[in-house]
Amino acid sequence: MNAINQPCSAKELLPERFRQWFAARGWAPRAHQLALLDKARRQRSALLIAPTGAGKTLAGFLPTLVELSSPSSHLSPRAGRGRLAGVAGKPGEGADEIATELATEAPPSPRTRGEGQTAPHSGGLHTLYISPLKALAVDIARNLETPIAEMALPIRVETRTGDTPVSRRQRQRRYPPQILLTTPEQLALLLASDDAPHLFGTLRRVVLDELHALVTSKRGDLLSLGLARLWRLAPQLRMVGLSATVAEPEQLARFLVPQHRSPSPASGEGEQRADIVVAGGAAQPIVDMLDSRERLPWAGHSARHALGEIYELIHRHTITLVFVNTRSQAEMLFQELWRINDDNLPIALHHGSLDVAQRRKVEDAMTAGRLRAVVCTSSLDLGVDWGDVDLVINVGAPKGASRLMQRIGRANHRLDEPSRAVLVPANRFEVLECRVAIDAIAQNAQDTPPLRRGALDVLAQHVLGCACAEPFVADQLFEEVISAAPYAELVRSDFDDVVAFVATGGYALQSYERFARIKQDQQGRWRVANPKVRQSYRLNVGTIVEDTMLKVRLVRSQRGAASGATGAISRGGRLLGEIEEGFIESMVPGDTFVFGGEVVRYEAMAEDQVYVSRAHDQDARVPSYMGGKFPLSTYLADRVRRLLDDRRAWAALPDQVRDWLSLQAELSVVPGSRQLLVECFPHAGKHYLVCYPFEGRLAHQTLGMLLTRRLERARARPLGFVANEYALAVWGLGDLSALIRQRRLDLDALFEPDMLGDDLEAWLAESALMKRTFKTCAVISGLIPRRFVGAEKSRRQVLFSTDLVYDVLRKHQPNHVLLRAARADAATGLLDLRRLGDMLARISGRIAYKSLERVSPLAVPVLLEIGREAVYGEASDDLLAEAAEELVRTAMG
Amino acid sequence: MGGAKGTSLKARRQLRSQATSTQIADAPPQGEAQPVITVAGTSMIADLAGALYWPDQRLLVVADLHLEKGSSFAARGVLLPPYDTLATLGQLSAVIARFDPKAVIALGDSFHDGEAHQRLSAANRDHLAALQARRDWIWIVGNHDPELPCALGGTVASELAIGAINFRHEPTGARGEIAGHLHPKARIAARGRAIERRCFASDGERLVMPSFGAYTGGLSIRDAAFLRVFGAPGFHAHVLGDRQLYTVAAARCC
């Protein structure tokens, strides 16, 4: 990693007016800000790695501001047209018009220096800024306004998001601003228009904000393909990536420059990635684990035991951000905090499912310093600075070291002062996780995931977008696509399959030629078959496929009435927010859950509305959902295993936890760091098998599905299983200890990695998780329009179900490109197959087996999850059988 | 949604079956116990594929095949896999092989749109003809396929009465009626899990068939449309499980 290798003087790199501006504010340009100016002057793309509060954004924009401050940039004819447009466009643009139309007022500078530094810009769009959050784009525009106004720079800055009015969008295409702030989806839309070459031909710089967050998802794939197109449209283009600290910066730096399959010997390794600039000087954060006076719970995620202590911490600080992992945890904690909030401290709630207006209100109150605490989820992981946060509390599992570090960075956005954070584990296993996370942060260890392999469904969307812009030649487009880092290893046959899919669905049965969306012309160029295809592309762009969201409305209770049936309930009611359809679908009318800070009762669902009434219960019946999006990182899991294996390290643990582990050592076994401990014991009339892979809930769920299949074959009569982040418990009627003793069940064979073969295939055919994965691919690839997905509930009858499409396709063309895309997603997504595979390989031949008389201390937490957490099994006939028996019982009186 | 609209081309006669109730029912082709649903005093066998078999008449009923639904969407730019007709006819031929019926009633919406029959591939057309051979085949018209050409083989009708039973596409709620159109499905949830399956909906006097087509989605039997058919909430869902039919109170579904 080359850090800032040569000290550059501010004088050399910054024009006089910038130096004066810095001086007037009492600032000195930071080393990494100068380093980025230097990279820009030498026409290098750069990745800036800096903690929050390092002035990252200004660093990213300084080269642009300096280049555009040279007068030559606004003397071009196009800038003149922009001036007219600016004046004409002013009335009726609304208060949120960000444009700084200084170009019309600034007198032409008599000096023409600056041309020696960089080639003059000939007008038009100069810099594109892309961020994952549209709120961030708006905020950055506001922040840029200050230096631009104070230095009287002739620069127009505009934002373009989903909220931008059509009139302004059109004007932006004809008369682009010098700086445009936008999102990956808007970039895709702009690139799919036929004036993309005109718009982007002048582009000099792209600034990618929060790059570490963008590249971990399919949005990053889409963005990378957009960049590949930009490199072709504007070969002079240089990139700047702004990122928090990541595990492999060299990988991330590849994202910023075109990749070449066989680099010419002349261009070295360095040509395949951007230069890396690391901002130093951040103070080490001060992170503690709450040493609770209370008894530590064995299981659960509520951290109710520490409530009083959390409240005290909020009291002692100015503004506290309280991070939790799931929406339901946020709801619960918020509610509990208010229950003990005797001093009426202004404490607010923020999560992604709340109404947008409600969220904005909280954010504004935060910025204005009117709040003392906000209970929030990852909805505040990224984004704008919110006032003077002086403490971050992380309740529950940290999940990953880098992720925790980024959250902690939300406190105190000043580099030279340490951020302060307190970790509050909600149960005993989380104590172990918090302990190793604190150690990891002290060592600056990073565990961000490796760079993705580009998804084929995203590629399909992009290919259609390319055809919408202009006819393409497959060979040329392939070359362009593989210049994007995530697609650098794409094989040609996959690309050809994707093109065939975009054209006619890519089916072995070629019956859709006449319905083709793109067609080859005489010269072999692929062009859009009709204007409707373009329209449909525009409506479906993007990679974020959310579970269909239903509006939650508060109505009067219908208890006693025949609730549940459509029409039985009075319409209307106050809007509380939105909720995932999948969550509601698992509920029965009458079930209670926490939403918007109160316990509500599910009454009915009608079209896209969910009706709930206020429940007077203290506790919600349906406790949580999904258990959070992110599994425990492989890195932290490894550290937890090593902590368990190292008795001396137990000294750093709270007494209660140390005692618990000592008891485990006495009564069973504490597993070695490379071992898998498997315990079998009878409990409450059933036989249990508990194992401790520490690979996260998703991988454990998949393992549970596959193990129960195998145990069924071994006649162990399994009944169900429950998984948490650390362990998996399977129970059944068969005496597992006896089966193992009699050698009728072989543990090594049970955990044999070949379960990822036939067993997996058989299960995938049925798996609801796999069907959900397929649906996402079908939407992103453009097979199924978004409006159909969203329209399901607003129409009386479903148009068609993607589950049925999956079943039919799987049976008749199992190697179809969309099924391949879905399987690739399953490796890392909801099924976490890759991680499961790595685990099975790791523990092969290293199973530590212990047959016990009763439940072991280590097994208690996962057994307590039974009944508290949803039992993970694919719902099947047994559920129907149960309901049928209920009917019989009712009939028999 | 309108019912069958009259045209000059289509034979809109009402068929009266000559079959008598004294006819001896053949033994069911399988040895297992067959789930029986009674409609207005008549016993029928519910097949897990979503078909209904009337042993006394050796009559098989399937509803809402929606053949060529895939290509119907494809024509509108949604390129669904073109295997739905193949899959639906495959299922149908398995059911026909199980019961070897003397007559088959396709209870409306057999084709997804008015031109769907023209889009049948030659292979599928042959497959259909083979299924029709040596048995009566009655196409009841539906709102998706109000007109059907004679070339399809079989007889076209808007409704059909046999004894106490009336077959039509859209349910009216009349006693003894067997209809389709609504695509009933049942969702059962418990302990955070949920399962959704197609079902027969019946109160013993009238019955709504599950949809048979490979791409046909469903409408929850808790929808008000079913309340209108049955008049009271006390009807049942006969849910198509993997291994057997489960009878559940409609009110138990969500």
Side-chain angles (χ1 to χ4, degrees):
Chain A
M1 190 187 299
N2 42 344
I4 303 161
N5 37 22
Q6 63 204 92
C8 312
S9 78
K11 201 161 183 181
E12 199 184 328
L13 294 162
L14 272 182
E16 177 64 20
R17 56 173 147 165
F18 285 78
R19 293 203 303 273
Q20 281 174 1
W21 180 75
F22 269 96
R25 306 202 126 214
W27 293 352
R30 291 198 163 121
H32 62 267
Q33 291 170 336
L34 293 174
L36 283 193
L37 280 167
D38 181 51
K39 297 291 180 199
R41 197 177 54 166
R42 294 193 288 118
Q43 293 292 308
R44 303 285 301 170
S45 289
L47 170 64
L48 171 61
I49 292 192
T52 37
K56 241 189 311 201
T57 319
L58 186 58
F61 278 106
L62 261 183
T64 299
L65 298 183
V66 168
E67 273 176 39
L68 287 174
S69 69
S70 99
S72 56
S73 65
H74 68 273
L75 293 176
S76 72
R78 193 180 283 160
R81 274 157 66 196
R83 181 187 309 171
L84 287 173
V87 173
K90 248 174 192 160
E93 283 289 337
D96 63 335
E97 172 65 79
I98 310 290
T100 313
E101 308 268 2
L102 288 170
T104 53
E105 277 91 38
S109 165
R111 292 181 297 169
T112 46
R113 242 179 47 192
E115 287 189 26
Q117 291 198 333
T118 52
H121 188 65
S122 57
L125 185 62
H126 178 284
T127 292
L128 194 61
Y129 164 92
I130 298 168
S131 100
L133 299 175
K134 88 185 153 190
L136 202 54
V138 174
D139 192 63
I140 297 291
R142 212 177 291 139
N143 291 348
L144 273 179
E145 227 172 294
T146 311
I148 288 172
E150 289 179 357
M151 288 187 276
L153 300 175
I155 299 172
R156 188 156 58 96
V157 182
E158 291 188 11
T159 59
R160 183 187 181 97
T161 70
D163 301 336
T164 307
V166 177
S167 60
R168 177 141 37 110
R169 288 187 201 200
Q170 283 170 351
R171 201 201 60 208
Q172 281 173 345
R173 294 220 314 235
R174 270 173 294 147
Y175 311 111
Q178 284 95 339
I179 300 179
L180 185 66
L181 313 172
T182 190
T183 59
E185 291 74 21
Q186 291 296 323
L187 172 62
L189 282 172
L190 286 169
L191 284 171
S193 69
D194 50 13
D195 49 10
H198 159 77
L199 182 61
F200 294 112
T202 58
L203 194 66
R204 308 301 287 262
R205 293 174 70 77
V206 171
V207 181
L208 302 174
D209 207 350
E210 309 269 17
L211 186 60
H212 61 281
L214 268 174
V215 296
T216 56
S217 67
K218 287 187 179 179
R219 281 184 101 191
D221 296 350
L222 184 67
L223 175 60
S224 77
L225 292 166
L227 297 180
R229 178 125 281 212
L230 286 178
W231 291 326
R232 191 173 64 69
L233 294 175
Q236 73 281 11
L237 180 62
R238 293 297 174 266
M239 317 287 299
V240 187
L242 310 177
S243 168
T245 316
V246 292
E248 295 183 73
E250 285 83 3
Q251 283 294 310
L252 193 55
R254 288 179 55 228
F255 197 90
L256 296 171
V257 297
Q259 302 296 300
H260 306 286
R261 198 144 270 193
S262 44
S264 60
S267 67
E269 172 73 8
E271 290 304 307
Q272 299 271 11
R273 65 171 173 83
D275 294 347
I276 296 170
V277 175
V278 180
Q284 192 68 20
I286 301 171
V287 188
D288 295 303
M289 177 162 32
L290 180 72
D291 190 6
S292 180
R293 299 180 295 264
E294 312 295 329
R295 191 171 161 70
L296 263 170
W298 289 92
H301 306 281
S302 72
R304 267 202 190 92
H305 71 285
L307 202 66
E309 288 156 315
I310 293 172
Y311 189 66
E312 278 168 34
L313 283 168
I314 293 173
H315 238 294
R316 289 211 304 272
H317 290 83
T318 315
I319 301 183
T320 304
L321 282 183
V322 186
F323 279 105
V324 296
N325 287 324
T326 67
R327 187 199 66 212
S328 61
Q329 271 175 292
E331 294 277 5
M332 197 283 305
L333 192 63
F334 172 71
Q335 207 185 24
E336 298 281 317
L337 279 172
W338 270 98
R339 205 173 280 173
I340 59 166
N341 190 1
D342 297 333
D343 301 317
N344 272 316
L345 298 182
I347 299 175
L349 175 66
H350 192 286
H351 62 66
S353 304
L354 288 178
D355 193 48
V356 180
Q358 177 66 24
R359 271 183 279 163
R360 291 294 101 80
K361 238 165 74 186
V362 171
E363 288 161 15
D364 290 345
M366 185 86 175
T367 314
R370 292 198 304 271
L371 294 176
R372 291 292 299 280
V374 180
V375 179
C376 54
T377 61
S378 52
S379 62
L380 285 188
D381 272 5
L382 294 179
V384 198
D385 294 354
W386 312 112
D388 294 319
V389 176
D390 56 349
L391 179 69
V392 163
I393 299 179
N394 193 77
V395 177
K399 309 273 189 175
S402 298
R403 184 169 122 89
L404 180 62
M405 194 55 227
Q406 281 152 31
R407 283 188 161 180
I408 291 172
R410 306 296 289 157
N412 203 355
H413 269 202
R414 275 182 295 275
L415 254 194
D416 34 2
E417 292 171 37
S419 303
R420 296 197 66 102
V422 175
L423 309 188
V424 182
N427 60 50
R428 287 162 189 232
F429 268 118
E430 286 183 356
V431 169
L432 304 179
E433 196 179 321
C434 287
R435 182 67 255 159
V436 297
I438 289 172
D439 295 344
I441 283 174
Q443 295 164 9
N444 275 319
Q446 301 296 333
D447 55 2
T448 45
L451 211 57
R452 286 172 51 84
R453 224 164 208 249
L456 295 180
D457 52 344
V458 179
L459 180 59
Q461 186 182 109
H462 179 71
V463 166
L464 185 59
C466 289
C468 290
E470 60 184 19
F472 70 81
V473 174
D475 289 350
Q476 284 165 13
L477 185 57
F478 178 67
E479 288 305 315
E480 181 188 309
V481 163
I482 60 172
S483 73
Y487 293 91
E489 275 143 53
L490 179 74
V491 294
R492 180 60 194 254
S493 63
D494 279 347
F495 175 81
D496 289 340
D497 286 352
V498 165
V499 173
F501 166 81
V502 173
T504 58
Y507 301 114
L509 187 68
Q510 293 187 349
S511 55
Y512 287 170
E513 293 303 324
R514 69 211 130 129
F515 306 130
R517 293 185 293 185
I518 58 174
K519 285 178 177 163
Q520 263 181 309
D521 62 17
Q522 310 249 299
Q523 290 87 47
R525 298 184 308 173
W526 290 94
R527 44 175 78 236
V528 165
N530 60 62
K532 269 196 193 143
V533 173
R534 272 201 190 86
Q535 206 182 342
S536 148
Y537 170 81
R538 274 185 210 115
L539 290 172
N540 291 298
V541 80
T543 60
I544 301 170
V545 180
E546 279 161 358
D547 195 359
T548 306
M549 298 301 279
L550 306 172
K551 291 194 161 53
V552 180
R553 290 189 180 277
L554 189 67
V555 295
R556 295 252 295 277
S557 175
Q558 296 285 308
R559 274 233 279 200
S563 62
T566 312
I569 213 123
S570 60
R571 303 297 168 95
R574 181 163 65 90
L575 183 65
L576 294 182
E578 294 192 325
I579 199 162
E580 295 85 351
E581 188 181 18
F583 179 61
I584 287 296
E585 280 183 341
S586 64
M587 283 203 279
V588 183
D591 278 352
T592 51
F593 63 103
V594 183
F595 193 83
E598 48 191 321
V599 179
V600 293
R601 173 185 294 106
Y602 170 48
E603 296 282 350
M605 179 165 78
E607 293 178 352
D608 64 340
Q609 315 270 323
V610 172
Y611 297 95
V612 300
S613 64
R614 198 165 271 132
H616 302 288
D617 314 28
Q618 289 283 305
D619 289 304
R621 186 124 55 100
V622 177
S624 78
Y625 79 119
M626 312 277 275
K629 268 192 226 157
F630 309 95
L632 169 68
S633 80
T634 314
Y635 174 78
L636 283 191
D638 190 48
R639 286 192 82 130
V640 169
R641 281 194 300 267
R642 280 189 279 136
L643 171 64
L644 279 180
D645 199 15
D646 180 5
R647 297 288 171 101
R648 281 168 308 175
W650 294 5
L653 298 171
D655 293 348
Q656 299 180 50
V657 174
R658 205 166 47 237
D659 292 348
W660 170 53
L661 295 181
S662 302
L663 202 61
Q664 170 72 14
E666 198 178 306
L667 299 174
S668 177
V669 173
V670 174
S673 61
R674 294 175 64 81
Q675 284 180 317
L676 175 72
L677 172 63
V678 177
E679 297 172 326
C680 287
F681 50 83
H683 177 69
K686 296 192 187 82
H687 294 275
Y688 285 78
L689 180 153
V690 180
C691 61
Y692 307 87
F694 295 93
E695 294 294 351
R697 181 191 304 263
L698 298 174
H700 293 169
Q701 254 171 255
T702 305
L703 178 62
M705 304 280 186
L706 299 174
L707 277 188
T708 39
R709 279 178 170 265
R710 295 196 149 185
L711 286 170
E712 222 160 83
R713 277 208 302 276
R715 297 176 200 282
R717 288 176 291 159
L719 291 174
F721 68 89
V722 65
N724 64 15
E725 291 286 305
Y726 319 100
L728 166 72
V730 186
W731 62 90
L733 298 171
D735 182 347
L736 295 162
S737 293
L739 286 173
I740 293 169
R741 199 170 49 241
Q742 296 154 9
R743 297 178 185 273
R744 282 160 56 204
L745 182 67
D746 177 1
L747 279 182
D748 286 321
L750 189 65
F751 285 90
E752 183 67 31
D754 69 0
M755 76 166 78
L756 295 178
D758 291 353
D759 282 327
L760 179 69
E761 276 306 307
W763 171 56
L764 286 186
E766 292 294 316
S767 166
L769 292 174
M770 191 64 199
K771 286 175 179 172
R772 205 190 306 163
T773 305
F774 174 77
K775 181 175 181 173
T776 305
C777 291
V779 170
I780 292 174
S781 67
L783 177 73
I784 290 165
R786 274 165 205 272
R787 67 199 143 89
F788 281 9
V789 173
E792 285 180 8
K793 284 294 154 192
S794 57
R795 287 173 166 262
R796 289 232 328 205
Q797 222 157 302
V798 179
L799 290 166
F800 58 82
S801 142
T802 47
D803 290 3
L804 298 173
V805 171
Y806 171 81
D807 290 340
V808 169
L809 188 56
R810 197 174 177 285
K811 197 164 159 215
H812 294 272
Q813 197 176 342
N815 68 342
H816 187 264
V817 64
L818 265 197
L819 292 173
R820 300 210 304 269
R823 273 188 222 116
D825 282 5
T828 52
L830 292 168
L831 300 129
D832 223 354
L833 291 176
R834 186 182 302 158
R835 195 161 170 191
L836 178 57
D838 291 349
M839 187 278 286
L840 293 174
R842 186 190 74 224
I843 58 108
S844 177
R846 295 199 183 85
I847 292 180
Y849 168 65
K850 191 81 186 169
S851 170
L852 299 169
E853 294 296 312
R854 54 218 228 33
V855 51
S856 76
L858 215 52
V860 171
V862 69
L863 258 61
L864 286 174
E865 305 264 11
I866 300 169
R868 195 190 296 229
E869 289 291 320
V871 175
Y872 289 100
E874 294 288 334
S876 59
D877 268 27
D878 58 336
L879 213 58
L880 295 175
E882 251 174 58
E885 278 161 28
E886 278 171 36
L887 180 70
V888 174
R889 275 201 303 276
T890 317
M892 306 298 274
Chain B
M1 288 176 185
K5 288 195 191 86
T7 67
S8 53
L9 277 177
K10 195 190 66 225
R12 247 190 111 204
R13 61 207 151 112
Q14 297 223 343
L15 293 182
R16 251 317 130 186
S17 168
Q18 279 84 48
T20 63
S21 55
T22 54
Q23 192 173 14
I24 295 160
D26 285 351
Q30 290 159 314
E32 305 148 32
Q34 301 268 359
V36 170
I37 299 179
T38 306
V39 182
T42 310
S43 294
M44 311 261 183
I45 292 170
D47 186 87
L48 289 188
L52 196 67
Y53 183 64
W54 187 352
D56 292 350
Q57 302 288 337
R58 289 189 59 196
L59 172 72
L60 186 76
V61 191
V62 288
D64 297 279
L65 301 177
H66 285 265
L67 297 175
E68 291 301 312
K69 180 167 179 176
S71 61
S72 184
F73 275 90
R76 285 179 280 151
V78 181
L79 303 174
L80 297 185
Y83 306 115
D84 57 316
T85 300
L86 185 68
T88 304
L89 292 180
Q91 278 276 23
L92 185 55
S93 87
V95 181
I96 287 176
R98 264 203 291 286
F99 295 102
D100 189 24
K102 218 175 64 174
V104 173
I105 296 181
L107 206 47
D109 288 0
S110 306
F111 293 87
H112 189 69
D113 60 64
E115 285 84 47
H117 58 86
Q118 295 164 18
R119 295 195 305 271
L120 279 179
S121 70
N124 286 330
R125 202 177 287 272
D126 292 347
H127 194 172
L128 184 58
L131 293 178
Q132 290 174 327
R134 298 186 318 279
R135 55 180 56 93
D136 292 338
W137 192 280
I138 298 119
W139 300 105
I140 302 283
V141 296
N143 50 304
H144 278 259
D145 52 0
E147 295 169 47
L148 287 167
C150 305
L152 278 172
T155 315
V156 177
S158 61
E159 49 183 80
L160 173 69
I162 303 175
I165 303 295
N166 247 294
F167 295 95
R168 63 169 67 88
H169 178 61
E170 286 192 46
T172 63
R175 188 172 178 274
E177 176 181 85
I178 293 181
H181 184 62
L182 291 177
H183 303 202
K185 69 171 183 193
R187 166 181 284 277
I188 308 280
R191 301 185 308 276
R193 297 192 295 168
I195 183 167
E196 191 177 274
R197 288 291 159 90
R198 293 178 296 142
C199 65
F200 297 88
S202 175
D203 61 356
E205 298 298 331
R206 47 196 74 71
L207 178 138
V208 182
M209 298 275 297
S211 58
F212 195 88
Y215 282 169
T216 51
L219 178 66
S220 164
I221 61 161
R222 295 304 300 274
D223 192 279
F226 289 97
L227 206 56
R228 282 196 292 275
V229 172
F230 296 107
F235 58 100
H236 291 132
H238 305 279
V239 189
L240 307 175
D242 289 334
R243 293 183 292 270
Q244 67 174 87
L245 192 78
Y246 298 94
T247 300
V248 175
R252 174 66 176 77
C253 304
C254 49

